[in-house]
Amino acid sequence: MPEGHVLHRLAQRFNTDFTGCALQISSPQGRFESAAKQLSGQALTRAFAHGKHLFLQFGERYIHIHLGLYGKWGFESFEGQVPAAVGQVRLQIIRSGEVASLRGPNRCELVERAEVEEILARLGPDPLHQSEDSCARFCANIRRSSRAIGELVMDQSVVAGPGNIYRAEALFRVGISPFRAGSRTGERRLIRLWDDLAELMSAGVDTGIITTVSPTDRPDPALEYDPEASRFYVYHRTGRPCLVCGTPVKEKRVAGRRLFWCSRCQR
């Protein structure tokens, strides 16, 4: 499933390429056809993301999209005739010279402002949306729970946006064991975790890739047998030496997802 920075990059692209002009909107697959007909010919007001949710605003109505495991946007430039849709395209948005095609989303629905507010209210703070109380909300959400912090960081009602990679890497970078109870994690450590999530995810928005290893810790030359070592400290590096202390990286399946950590560096 795409992590939160992907949705913010998508919002940026829609704001850059598709706002301010009448758009042709269709549903070649047919599952979004009624809503597409209502919106076709209108201009996109703005696009924005919160966590793993993307919103495309058309006046007082919004297309709400959650990509889920299989959803993906594709963008294609063209001259002259619009290229035919290929595959099961749920939603297609066309402007002069460019078409955006959405395939396989978990959710693609037309909603009103009240419904947008309900969705946002169910989500935790997004590290890519810094506000006066966002860090404090994050800390409070973690500290009120006795669940392991490795589970809490993946709970979108606690913090919106991080997925399995950001969970593993940020917890390593700030030295927190993923098995430490949220209620037993100090506020200073949680502030560091929030700040690190914001830093890593912001870099992901800028570059389009996730790279978490500090240049001083990056193997030079790169390890042919361990390509992830140039990008990640622990993610997908099971059994390989920690880049900081040399202890073999551990892995455990937690709540159906693979969790990676260093038992020496993380307490």
Side-chain angles (χ1 to χ4, degrees), residues 125 133-144 158 182 185-192 194:
D133 68 340
S134 56
C135 180
R137 287 176 55 208
F138 168 76
C139 294
N141 288 347
I142 296 286
R143 286 176 58 80
R144 70 166 57 101
V158 173
T185 308
E187 186 170 346
R188 288 186 180 180
R189 301 185 82 189
L190 290 176
I191 291 173
R192 287 180 58 209
W194 171 263

Side-chain angles (χ1 to χ4, degrees), residues 131 183 193 211 239:
S131 64
S183 57
L193 178 60
T211 301

Side-chain angles (χ1 to χ4, degrees), residues 9-257:
R9 283 178 61 85
L10 286 167
Q12 288 183 353
R13 179 148 195 179
F14 276 104
N15 282 324
T16 299
D17 291 2
F18 290 89
T19 54
C21 60
L23 300 173
Q24 181 182 337
I25 303 175
S26 64
S27 179
Q29 182 191 60
R31 293 180 61 182
F32 193 67
E33 184 174 6
S34 176
K37 287 181 178 179
Q38 296 177 52
L39 297 176
S40 192
Q42 296 185 31
L44 176 66
T45 306
R46 65 168 178 145
F48 64 96
H50 190 96
K52 299 181 180 183
H53 298 255
L54 175 67
F55 299 90
L56 305 179
Q57 181 180 357
F58 293 83
E60 296 300 316
R61 293 183 294 180
Y62 303 75
I63 301 177
H64 168 224
I65 296 159
H66 188 281
L67 294 177
L69 289 173
Y70 306 109
K72 187 175 183 179
W73 280 100
F75 296 85
E76 183 179 0
S77 299
F78 66 90
E79 294 183 6
Q81 187 174 354
V82 178
V86 177
Q88 296 295 306
V89 178
R90 181 81 56 87
L91 170 63
Q92 194 167 67
I93 301 178
I94 303 167
R95 69 166 180 89
S96 177
E98 186 175 9
V99 55
S101 301
L102 174 65
R103 296 173 175 84
N106 181 56
R107 181 167 295 181
C108 176
E109 59 185 352
L110 185 61
V111 297
E112 305 290 335
R113 178 63 193 178
E115 294 170 280
V116 174
E117 293 176 351
E118 290 176 3
I119 294 167
L120 296 178
R122 295 195 295 266
L123 298 172
D126 184 333
L128 292 171
H129 285 307
Q130 296 289 341
S131 64
E132 291 184 1
D133 68 340
S134 56
C135 180
R137 287 176 55 208
F138 168 76
C139 294
N141 288 347
I142 296 286
R143 286 176 58 80
R144 70 166 57 101
S145 176
S146 60
R147 292 163 57 199
I149 194 168
E151 295 181 41
L152 293 169
V153 173
M154 292 280 282
D155 185 337
Q156 299 298 297
S157 68
V158 173
V159 53
N164 211 19
I165 302 177
Y166 286 126
R167 181 256 301 267
E169 294 297 296
L171 286 173
F172 174 86
R173 283 164 53 103
V174 299
I176 299 176
S177 167
F179 304 105
R180 176 174 288 276
S183 57
R184 296 187 59 204
T185 308
E187 186 170 346
R188 288 186 180 180
R189 301 185 82 189
L190 290 176
I191 291 173
R192 287 180 58 209
L193 178 60
W194 171 263
D195 290 342
D196 199 61
L197 285 169
E199 178 183 339
L200 292 178
M201 294 177 71
S202 294
V205 173
D206 292 340
T207 65
I209 61 174
I210 304 176
T211 301
T212 64
V213 178
S214 168
T216 57
D217 293 329
R218 196 169 297 153
D220 186 20
L223 305 177
E224 293 184 6
Y225 66 90
D226 190 0
E228 287 87 356
S230 295
R231 293 184 58 195
F232 307 130
Y233 282 102
V234 292
Y235 182 74
H236 272 193
R237 298 192 60 248
T238 308
R240 296 170 183 171
C242 171
L243 298 179
V244 175
C245 74
T247 300
V249 172
K250 292 190 174 182
E251 176 185 339
K252 183 178 181 180
R253 188 165 290 274
V254 176
R257 302 296 298 275

